[in-house]
Amino acid sequence: MKLTGLQKQVLGLYRGFLRAARTKGSEERKKIESIVSSEFRRHAKSIERKNFIYIEYLLRRGTKQLEQLKNPDTLSLSTVPVRHHPS
Amino acid sequence: MVITGRTTSVKLISVGWAKNGFPSLRSSRFHVSCAAKPETVQKVCEIVRKQLALPPESELTPESKFSALGADSLDTVEIVMGLEEEFDISVEEENSQNITTVQEAADLIENLIQKKGEA
């Protein structure tokens, strides 16, 4: 499996999140892992592979979120349900 | 659980020696390649099973490709992270992307454990 640069970046970000989750409490860690995993998978399914602009945007956003999560003062992570996209 | 495959403990060690003080790049490298221990292979199998939620009756051999077991690239990242924790090692990014089978993972782990022991 040959990965593109962008794919490597995404996987690197995913690793970063899982690593950051390890530094939190075990309850929170599970929660973070489940949120992160479902977010990455949701996007992997819903985004057109060639939509580089959007993928790059999400990478930047994810990197910022990861920075916040890495902060020791950040204890947890939560999601707010958004209305479903019109399908 | 079915574990088949390489259980030999054959170790191939090649060492480059500097001849008569002639500078040689090879002498600075210590190349070790060996088949991973069965315990390591078994532990890796367990983690892969857990991570991919494989049913206990499914067959898993050291040569099984993660992708053939239904793992996507995110699963592979999770497997490697799980291995890091279990074996208390740290797998570098480039290496982690080269792991596609249980055997490859086990070999890399032993390599890292050995390096850790030397450090």
Side-chain angles (χ1 to χ4, degrees), chain A residues 1 3 8 11-12 14-15 18-19 22 29 37 40-41, chain B residues 72-75 77-78 80-81 84-85 91 93 96-97:
Chain A
M1 180 176 55
L3 297 166
K8 283 184 187 168
L11 292 178
Y14 190 54
R15 264 165 78 85
L18 295 184
R19 273 191 200 284
R22 279 185 192 168
R29 178 182 166 172
S37 153
F40 272 79
R41 289 197 157 77
Chain B
D72 58 21
S73 52
L74 293 175
D75 290 315
V77 171
E78 287 170 17
V80 174
M81 300 281 295
E84 283 189 338
E85 276 204 292
V91 180
E93 195 116 14
S96 76
Q97 281 155 359

Side-chain angles (χ1 to χ4, degrees), chain B residues 22-35:
Chain B
F22 189 76
S24 157
L25 267 181
R26 287 185 65 214
S27 66
S28 63
R29 272 187 89 94
F30 206 68
H31 184 75
V32 178
S33 89
C34 58

Side-chain angles (χ1 to χ4, degrees), chain A residues 31-49:
Chain A
K31 209 170 113 193
I32 294 169
E33 284 174 348
S34 118
I35 292 173
V36 170
S37 153
S38 69
E39 277 294 286
F40 272 79
R41 289 197 157 77
R42 185 169 66 80
H43 283 129
K45 274 203 196 110
S46 66
I47 299 171
E48 170 60 37
R49 290 174 62 89

Side-chain angles (χ1 to χ4, degrees), chain B residues 41-79:
Chain B
V41 174
Q42 174 154 359
K43 239 170 159 183
V44 174
C45 282
E46 279 168 26
I47 291 168
V48 171
R49 264 179 200 285
K50 203 176 100 197
Q51 203 68 56
L52 300 179
L54 298 176
E57 66 277 9
S58 65
E59 204 189 343
L60 180 60
T61 71
E63 280 74 34
S64 305
K65 280 220 176 292
F66 297 152
S67 54
L69 299 167
D72 58 21
S73 52
L74 293 175
D75 290 315
T76 308
V77 171
E78 287 170 17
I79 290 172

